[in-house]
Amino acid sequence: MCGIVGYIGNEDAKEILLKGLEKLEYRGYDSAGIAVMGQDDVHVFKEKGRIADLREIVDVTLSATTGIGHTRWATHGVPSKSNAHPHQSASGRFTLVHNGVIENYELLKQQYLMDIPMKSDTDTEVVVQLIEVNVNKGLSVEEAFSQTLKVLKGSYAIGLLDNENPDVIYVAKNKSPLLVGIGEDFNVIASDAMAMLQVTDQFVELMDQEIVLVKKEGVTIKNLQGDVIERAPYTAQLDASDIEKGTYPHFMLKEIDEQPLVIRKIIQQYQNDNGELTIDPEIVDAVNESDRIYIIAAGTSYHAGLVGKQFIEKLAEVPVEVHIASEFGYNIPLLSAKPLFIFISQSGETADSRAVLVQIKKLGHKSLTITNVPGSTLSREADYTLLLHAGPEIAVASTKAYTAQLAVLAILAEVTAKSTGKDVSLDLIRELGIAANAMETLCDEKEQIEQMASEYVQTTRNAFFIGRGIDYYVCLEGALKLKEISYIQAEGFAGGELKHGTIALIEEGTPIIALATQESVNLSIRGNVKEVVARGANPLIISMKGLEMEGDRFVIPEVHELLTPLISVVPLQLFAYYAALHRDCDVDKPRNLAKSVTVE
Ligand code: F6R
């Protein structure tokens, strides 16, 4: 989703901003722009399309050491050059980039800006115009900025330049993430630390509604009352090589291959000196004290939640409900007396999940965030956090975060179960180790999966994934992977449900990908496959060693039956990857999608 960068110092701002925007490309965007302070004036360059297109139009001869930049993922107004950020005020004095959504922008236009001709269809332009209107009324820029923020409803992260004072970038945020990066003789802003790791690893978190003046020599943070706040920087725990593709053609493939390592790292991170799995006792108590767990998540994280429900109910014996965040927020079900909310989110920034967190906090309920990003909004705002330790996930399609979520949920379930003396027959460290080895074996079988993808989906319009029990949840994830990066309409169904409607869609040659990793439903899922084959479907059965039957196309190594999702998802991820490649799709940056969905 939208990204912000800014630089003020002595170096070439254009290049630092463009490089920063390139690091944010993974978040998904449809246009981009930068504004830099030249000797005489602000120069704005913006373009629809990729950063590479923007690079083409930036005047390389221009000397500038201050600037702001933006990648836009359209919400208000189509993707276009005029709607791309930065936006400028009527006189051109103020230039602004914004992430988030200004909900009351129409009202603000009518109330304050009827005489100002708008140059774009965006909600953002209202902010920069309003700042100028307030300055024209006689307010200082800082006062005008602060006055403007007070009337905004919605979410924002903002960077603002003033032509008449090139020594400062004005910054503020509400709900949307924004960091200030600290350097020697320079400072930067970024919506994601990754963007500015090129120049610093020291970052300061900003809180909602603070006003921040970023100058070359220093950073001043003020609260709403104007008091100056001192806040020490932290070191971003990111390795620059984590965010490079290396020899891989795509981040997605790299991240699929990283999965065995991630599982092993998680085992290490959650092991104590005695070699036992351990979790903060406060979190274990919170689970034990709750009478029901509500898992809240979106997309792939929601699919991980469905599997997590099985882990927690089967091992810890606490009932679990799993909810889609964007639905839960508008339709809160009848809650139990002592609920615990678990937010699963790779990015920790998903606005739909955050909206639920805000609501349940008001109701006084406890919350745990399971996330890949320390210091993310959901992590900061929940009572407790468990980290995924998966390393940055850059490809829009989530892969290693999903399997990491499963591993952490399994650990949470097992540690909680043991804490109350439940007899847990599974040796989780051993079984996760076996799963990691099995993942490695699967990652070595790419050629076979590539072959399957080329046979099944090159020309098809749609594909169905079917499974029963825990396999069904993995089918939902496999279908999501395929649809989001290959644009084939793919859906996951419970095997037994097909005959209640969906079977009408089966035509000659329709691909049916069936998972058969559960002994208890092995025969029934195969019965469902027969039903669709009788109607012309082209089946691809992925089974597990020990359960395989004649005609199965791919057999995954045997792992503990509860942990099969960690393994069975790998061929589905690879299948989606190769299907997208065969269809010439942009694997890492699929159309219309954003990595971090920061609008509701
Ligand atoms: C799919 C995908 C999305 C995310 C969803 C939630 O591959 O990545 O479905 O899972 O947008 O994002 P997080 O986990 O960051 O809350």
Side-chain angles (χ1 to χ4, degrees), residues 407 455 491 597:
E455 278 172 42
E491 306 300 338
V597 185

Side-chain angles (χ1 to χ4, degrees), residues 115-404:
D115 303 335
I116 313 271
M118 292 285 167
K119 292 173 265 186
S120 76
D121 308 319
T122 63
D123 51 338
T124 301
E125 191 186 342
V126 166
V127 185
V128 71
Q129 299 290 13
L130 206 50
I131 292 168
E132 181 158 287
V133 165
N134 283 331
V135 167
N136 289 344
K137 283 184 191 156
L139 297 182
S140 71
V141 175
E142 199 180 318
E143 284 163 352
F145 188 38
S146 163
Q147 269 320 107
T148 305
L149 298 178
K150 281 187 190 142
V151 297
L152 302 183
K153 288 210 164 65
S155 54
Y156 56 77
I158 291 174
L160 171 77
L161 295 179
D162 173 10
N163 243 352
E164 294 185 12
N165 184 4
D167 298 332
V168 59
I169 306 176
Y170 297 87
V171 171
K173 76 169 277 290
N174 186 46
K175 297 189 200 168
S176 299
L178 195 61
L179 300 167
V180 172
I182 308 296
E184 250 173 61
D185 270 346
F186 73 87
N187 288 301
V188 296
I189 61 171
S191 49
D192 185 327
M194 261 186 224
M196 284 297 163
L197 268 188
Q198 50 165 326
V199 288
T200 183
D201 63 356
Q202 297 299 301
F203 290 89
V204 176
E205 277 179 32
L206 304 181
M207 300 296 150
D208 285 355
Q209 286 153 11
E210 290 174 340
I211 294 215
V212 188
L213 308 184
V214 180
K215 298 184 178 174
K216 188 167 87 176
E217 313 75 31
V219 174
T220 311
I221 306 176
K222 294 184 185 174
N223 65 15
L224 261 184
Q225 292 69 44
D227 308 322
V228 173
I229 314 269
E230 297 296 335
R231 191 170 299 135
Y234 67 91
T235 306
Q237 302 289 343
L238 281 170
D239 185 337
S241 70
D242 284 350
I243 54 175
E244 302 295 338
K245 276 203 293 262
T247 53
Y248 280 92
H250 297 99
F251 278 108
M252 185 177 175
L253 195 62
K254 174 176 180 249
E255 288 161 8
I256 290 173
D257 271 1
E258 281 171 357
Q259 293 180 108
L261 275 178
V262 170
I263 300 302
R264 289 180 192 127
K265 182 156 181 214
I266 290 172
I267 299 172
Q268 261 179 15
Q269 292 286 339
Y270 284 95
Q271 233 174 351
N272 63 17
D273 293 343
N274 302 327
E276 293 156 348
L277 289 171
T278 179
I279 275 188
D280 176 356
E282 280 195 38
I283 298 178
V284 176
D285 288 348
V287 177
N288 283 326
E289 282 159 18
S290 69
D291 60 356
R292 184 166 290 257
I293 289 175
Y294 293 83
I295 292 183
I296 309 292
T300 289
S301 297
Y302 168 73
H303 297 157
L306 294 170
V307 178
K309 171 183 161 77
Q310 304 297 311
F311 296 162
I312 297 170
E313 290 192 341
K314 293 218 161 88
L315 299 176
E317 297 174 14
V318 180
V320 181
E321 289 181 20
V322 190
H323 290 270
I324 292 175
S326 56
E327 282 296 305
F328 190 95
Y330 294 97
N331 191 13
I332 296 192
L334 197 58
L335 297 177
S336 67
K338 286 184 274 170
L340 170 69
F341 282 81
I342 300 185
F343 293 85
I344 307 179
S345 174
Q346 188 284 128
S347 62
E349 300 295 345
T350 298
D352 290 323
S353 299
R354 196 212 178 215
V356 177
L357 177 56
V358 170
Q359 289 190 60
I360 63 102
K361 276 176 74 166
K362 280 193 193 136
L363 295 172
H365 299 312
K366 283 198 174 160
S367 51
L368 158 68
T369 290
I370 299 182
T371 183
N372 202 24
V373 184
S376 57
T377 306
L378 284 169
S379 166
R380 281 203 314 270
E381 296 184 356
D383 295 307
Y384 317 108
T385 294
L386 288 176
L387 290 176
L388 298 178
H389 301 290
E393 192 180 63
I394 311 283
V396 164
S398 185
T399 53
K400 63 176 177 172
Y402 171 78
T403 41

Side-chain angles (χ1 to χ4, degrees), residues 93 112 134 322 589:
R93 173 173 171 184
Y112 304 106
N134 283 331
V322 190
K589 293 179 223 112

Side-chain angles (χ1 to χ4, degrees), residues 5-18:
V5 290
Y7 173 85
I8 185 160
N10 300 318
E11 303 295 320
D12 176 10
K14 302 183 306 292
E15 193 47 34
I16 293 172
L17 296 174
L18 287 168

Side-chain angles (χ1 to χ4, degrees), residues 32-67:
I34 60 169
V36 287
M37 289 276 193
Q39 305 290 18
D40 46 342
D41 202 357
V42 161
H43 299 261
V44 176
F45 305 93
K46 42 194 196 173
E47 197 55 281
K48 189 179 161 196
R50 298 292 184 205
I51 307 297
D53 303 314
L54 175 65
R55 267 190 184 279
E56 303 254 303
I57 60 156
V58 170
D59 177 359
V60 283
T61 62
L62 195 71
S63 145
T65 56
T66 299

Side-chain angles (χ1 to χ4, degrees), residues 123 147 191 193 229 240 271 333 382 445 464 494 552 566 570 593:
D123 51 338
Q147 269 320 107
S191 49
I229 314 269
Q271 233 174 351
E445 291 178 9
F464 298 101
D552 290 356
L566 283 155
V570 177
L593 287 179

